[in-house]
Amino acid sequence: LKSNPSNNEEKEAQTQLTKSDELQRLHSQALSAYQQEDYEAAISLLDEILAVCVWDAELRELRAECYIKEGEPSKAISDLKAAAKLKNDNTEAFYKISRIYYQLGDHELSLSEVRECLKLDQDHKQCFSLYKQVKKLNKQIESAEEFIREGRYEDAINKYDSVMKTEPEVPIYATRAKERICHCLSKNQQATEAIKVCTEVLQLEPTNVNALKDRAEAYLLEDLYEE
């Protein structure tokens, strides 16, 4: 503006300066809201800033943190994926994405994302620790499903018992394991045990279609037609 003043440029420069000041104010408010754990307000403020500063990786990471706190993991993943592209060697973003997928029970996508982290830094301690855990779990689940395809239901049940021991902290894996054990017991004509395990699953997830079908098959084996 100083090197080449003209009315048009001065107007444009003043507009940009005003906008810049406004965005800095919003940024301060967003950080303050985040620190006060008012994540909904922080998200709203960050939405305004990111509408202008589309390529700011750090703001996206901050909004992702807010989404995680607000229980909106899919929105957090979207922001973290953008941050991973916008910032070189962003191992932290890949680690967080992998952890979210893992918590949601999507072990295959979790494994894929944690591998991206290790491609960038093979000595990354958190990613390597997570990788070992997810890889072990993934292998057990794949092995159990292979047994089911082969009709080796006892082996599959044993393998899904191992899954529950491998991951006792994230409830969704125990629920999915029990759902598959219920299926195996029903297919193996162990009706009493099948009804018991399927019922456990349905207490956690009343609308689980697979457990309802498998329990129905078990009831048929016991001649409990009404049930």
Side-chain angles (χ1 to χ4, degrees), residues 94-95 97-103 105-116 130-131 134 173:
F94 284 117
Y95 172 70
I97 295 166
S98 179
R99 278 221 50 93
I100 294 170
Y101 277 134
Y102 187 70
Q103 296 290 328
D106 200 327
H107 52 94
E108 288 170 336
L109 279 175
S110 175
L111 190 59
S112 167
E113 294 295 334
V114 81
R115 278 181 175 142
E116 290 301 317
L130 182 60
Y131 172 72
V134 186
Y173 292 108

Side-chain angles (χ1 to χ4, degrees), residues 116-220:
E116 290 301 317
C117 172
L118 290 171
K119 276 184 201 171
L120 295 171
D121 178 6
Q122 60 190 34
D123 298 322
H124 194 290
K125 282 183 184 170
Q126 286 177 306
C127 284
F128 187 66
S129 172
L130 182 60
Y131 172 72
K132 283 197 299 184
Q133 174 73 2
V134 186
K135 192 181 178 192
K136 183 180 178 183
L137 193 76
N138 197 53
K139 199 173 177 184
Q140 288 175 333
I141 292 169
E142 282 181 352
S143 177
E145 288 302 312
E146 185 62 34
F147 286 143
I148 290 172
R149 284 192 289 275
E150 291 169 3
R152 294 166 59 186
Y153 298 116
E154 283 296 335
D155 291 332
I157 289 166
N158 291 334
K159 193 57 79 173
Y160 270 118
D161 279 333
S162 300
V163 167
M164 289 191 279
K165 290 190 183 90
T166 298
E167 184 43 84
E169 301 295 321
V170 184
I172 193 163
Y173 292 108
T175 307
R176 290 291 155 268
K178 282 183 180 177
E179 181 192 312
R180 298 306 277 157
I181 289 169
C182 140
H183 175 72
C184 293
L185 290 166
S186 182
K187 286 285 183 190
N188 216 28
Q189 303 202 333
Q190 293 168 261
T192 309
E193 293 94 327
I195 291 164
K196 178 175 171 286
V197 178
C198 294
T199 301
E200 283 177 22
V201 176
L202 288 162
Q203 280 167 349
L204 297 165
E205 296 180 348
T207 56
N208 187 312
V209 175
N210 294 327
L212 285 166
K213 288 197 295 186
D214 288 320
R215 190 170 68 173
E217 292 291 340
Y219 280 141
L220 285 174

Side-chain angles (χ1 to χ4, degrees), residues 15-16 18-24 26 45-56 59-60 63:
T15 304
Q16 294 292 352
T18 306
K19 191 183 281 185
S20 170
D21 289 341
E22 172 66 5
L23 289 171
Q24 285 178 320
L26 290 172
L45 291 158
L46 289 164
D47 286 347
E48 283 190 69
I49 305 168
L50 281 160
V52 182
C53 307
V54 183
W55 314 115
D56 194 312
L59 289 179
R60 286 191 178 275
R63 189 168 66 176

